[in-house]
Amino acid sequence: KQEVTQIPAALSVPEGENLVLNCSFTDSAIYNLQWFRQDPGKGLTSLLLIQSSQREQTSGRLNASLDKSSGRSTLYIAASQPGDSATYLCAAPMDSNYQLIWGAGTKLIIKP
Amino acid sequence: DGGITQSPKYLFRKEGQNVTLSCEQNLNHDAMYWYRQDPGQGLRLIYYSQIVNDFQKGDIAEGYSVSREKKESFPLTVTSAQKNPTAFYLCASRKKSSGNTIYFGEGSWLTVV
């Protein structure tokens, strides 16, 4: 059964630093992998979606990579800002019904 | 503007009561989903629907019920059989074609009093 793990559970860095968030999965037979952002008490916002045939996707200061052979995806945030503070979640659908398997998230705090 | 609307934002339930959470989308999406989120845990799937008048149980369907009478609407009822209903509930939808991302509503907080 697919398991998705995000380590660390929390991360605090000074403003301006580049940082990497990690997402590991146990079964490489994923359709795609998605990264989401969640602000406290809010719904989730999709950040990036990487198809299983792709290696990476970029949007602004965000870059997500996917390595199916190692069961790992990373979200790179360049030049971090206090507004980037949020919980970041990754998820992967395992079948055509699109049932997503979720990580527990990494809570990111960017200190001014 | 297109999007997913969940209501109410906050709901309090007494022991033994059924409550219904509303989810409406105007994105013309085929599939709709209900998730439950507890602190420090990943999202868990309650029910999902791929098409009108059809839905399937997710991982934690016990104590919940849904209906999909219209494409735009996917209400979730939390029944008295759900023993620990206090949680944050998220509704989502997706266009049924390969690779499309999933969109979420703003969520509903349910508290048992």
Side-chain angles (χ1 to χ4, degrees):
Chain A
K1 183 180 178 182
Q2 176 76 284
E3 294 183 2
V4 177
T5 304
Q6 293 185 251
I7 296 174
L11 181 64
S12 180
V13 301
E15 180 179 4
E17 282 199 3
N18 302 326
L19 60 98
V20 174
L21 305 180
N22 297 298
C23 173
S24 300
F25 46 93
T26 55
D27 187 341
S28 62
I30 57 174
Y31 276 57
N32 58 49
L33 189 131
Q34 300 183 40
W35 283 93
F36 297 85
R37 169 186 173 138
Q38 185 177 31
D39 293 293
K42 300 288 188 180
L44 279 69
T45 300
S46 178
L47 297 173
L48 289 164
L49 183 154
I50 313 175
Q51 301 291 355
S52 61
S53 59
Q54 296 176 324
R55 297 283 292 182
E56 64 179 75
Q57 282 285 333
T58 298
S59 176
R61 294 182 293 109
L62 305 180
N63 176 278
S65 68
L66 177 63
D67 184 346
K68 289 173 59 179
S69 62
S70 65
R72 187 181 178 204
S73 176
T74 61
L75 179 67
Y76 174 84
I77 302 177
S80 59
Q81 304 170 359
D84 294 330
S85 297
T87 296
Y88 291 81
L89 297 101
C90 64
M94 291 304 300
D95 54 33
S96 59
N97 287 325
Y98 220 75
Q99 292 194 55
L100 289 164
I101 309 299
W102 292 85
T106 294
K107 183 176 182 180
L108 177 64
I109 297 174
I110 307 298
K111 298 175 288 186
Chain B
D1 289 345
I4 302 173
T5 301
Q6 290 187 239
S7 62
K9 178 68 175 178
Y10 299 97
L11 185 60
F12 297 90
R13 191 193 92 168
K14 293 182 179 179
E15 295 281 353
Q17 275 186 339
N18 293 351
V19 295
T20 297
L21 306 180
S22 170
C23 178
E24 303 279 332
Q25 54 98 1
N26 60 5
L27 300 168
N28 197 32
H29 284 177
D30 308 289
M32 297 187 74
Y33 306 80
W34 273 106
Y35 290 94
R36 170 179 172 144
Q37 188 176 34
D38 294 282
Q41 297 188 34
L43 277 68
R44 292 183 290 170
L45 182 64
I46 305 172
Y47 269 98
Y48 65 101
S49 169
Q50 303 276 43
I51 195 170
V52 174
N53 292 322
D54 187 45
F55 48 83
Q56 287 79 39
K57 294 181 179 180
D59 298 322
I60 55 166
E62 184 175 352
Y64 300 97
S65 66
V66 294
S67 63
R68 187 86 187 275
E69 298 177 359
K70 298 186 299 181
K71 187 176 185 178
E72 304 79 19
S73 179
F74 192 42
L76 173 73
T77 297
V78 184
T79 74
S80 57
Q82 171 49 240
K83 298 307 179 186
N84 184 25
T86 296
F88 188 48
Y89 291 87
L90 287 158
C91 178
S93 71
R94 182 182 74 90
K95 189 76 171 173
K96 266 185 68 179
S97 59
S98 177
N100 279 40
T101 194
I102 189 168
Y103 295 88
F104 283 83
E106 285 294 294
S108 293
W109 289 94
L110 174 62
T111 303
V112 174
V113 297

